[in-house]
Amino acid sequence: MDSGGFVTARDRQDESECSKRQKCSQGEEDRISNLPDFIIGHILTFLCFKDAIRTSVLSQRWIYMWTYITKLCLNDSNIYLRNKTTFINFVCRMLLHLNASNINEFHLLLEEKYDPYIIGQLISLVSNKKIKVISLLSHNECSISCYPIFKCQSLEKLELAMGHSIIQFPSFVCLSSLTALYLVAIRSPMKITCYSSNQSKELTLKFPVLRDYISCDCIWLDVKRVTIDAPLLEKVIIERQWDYSSNVSHAEIEIRASYVTNYLYRSYVSSETTLLDAAHVAEASISLSDDSKVNMSGQELKIFVRKLFNINNLKGLILQV
């Protein structure tokens, strides 16, 4: 381009782009395509899943790059997947093709109501991927069996947030890598029970490295005793917004964790009994909402709470009625 003997910035840009095209035409690959598969997969994780799959049309090298993504966040309200059948088929095909050694997190948000068997199949596929984080959130009834999840020894964080659902636990659970367990009800209490074949109605949950345990509006249905064995547990939060003590069976919940440092219990006085060795608790807040306890004096109520929760050496207890 003639510009009176001077080379303009636009000329330099055109020459640079032309040079890049010439290099590509000569077979030179771009730097991103030269990266290892797992690094490209990690980069694609920051895209929405649909866009990550679209990269398969870039070149022969990129056809299966999307299968190396490390985090999945799926929502059935996605504008492209509004049909329930389309959504389930899409998720199943995607899980079957993903590279199992690279998946770290799986987040599934369900707005619609699904057949429990179908959700169970999805859970089985995810649990077989040696995954580290599983988060299932459903605004509608979504009763499931957690047996496949509790076979996944690579699992480090489990979050079940369900609405008006029944969650089935095996009578014995041992997850050696789990550090956080969140059981949260949405809109209405979430019921947790064991398999019907369990005659003793006792659950034993062993989590050797668990640090955080949160239970919000969860009912232990038809369970006599729940033992949570977590020697490294540091934080315990138990909250209930509804008074459902009159329509559930009594359950004794024992938390075997001697080194809990942060404890929050906010609930109605229900038929459930929580036993916690709180000798090392540094911060504790216990809030009871029950008209039947209002006529007790503050000292009597504090003795009641200390006995109920096995709190003998706790200092600075915050007690609200």
Side-chain angles (χ1 to χ4, degrees), residues 151-165:
K151 291 177 61 179
C152 183
Q153 292 301 316
S154 61
L155 193 61
E156 296 179 3
K157 178 180 178 181
L158 174 60
E159 179 181 15
L160 299 177
M162 306 289 183
H164 192 64
S165 302

Side-chain angles (χ1 to χ4, degrees), residues 24 27-35 40 58-59 61-62:
C24 290
E28 182 178 330
E29 293 185 352
D30 60 275
R31 293 182 179 181
I32 294 181
S33 293
N34 282 328
L35 294 173
I40 294 178
L58 294 177
S59 68
R61 168 83 164 86
W62 282 78

Side-chain angles (χ1 to χ4, degrees), residues 80-135:
Y80 304 107
L81 301 168
R82 289 194 180 279
N83 182 278
K84 291 201 300 183
T85 302
T86 302
F87 175 75
I88 293 298
N89 290 339
F90 169 78
V91 175
C92 288
R93 291 198 304 270
M94 175 268 302
L95 289 176
L96 290 173
H97 285 87
L98 286 176
N99 189 304
S101 63
N102 292 288
I103 303 177
N104 291 325
E105 300 185 27
F106 179 75
H107 301 264
L108 181 63
L109 172 60
L110 302 176
E111 298 284 352
E112 301 292 334
K113 183 178 179 180
Y114 293 86
D115 186 329
Y117 175 78
I118 294 177
I119 301 302
Q121 292 300 306
L122 290 181
I123 292 175
S124 295
L125 287 173
V126 171
S127 302
N128 290 331
K129 297 292 185 179
K130 299 180 180 179
I131 206 161
K132 294 181 179 180
V133 176
I134 295 179
S135 176

Side-chain angles (χ1 to χ4, degrees), residues 243-263:
D243 182 10
Y244 41 75
S245 58
S246 59
N247 55 17
V248 297
S249 59
H250 175 81
E252 182 179 277
I253 305 171
E254 180 182 1
I255 303 177
R256 296 179 179 175
S258 300
Y259 295 96
V260 173
T261 58
N262 193 324
Y263 182 63

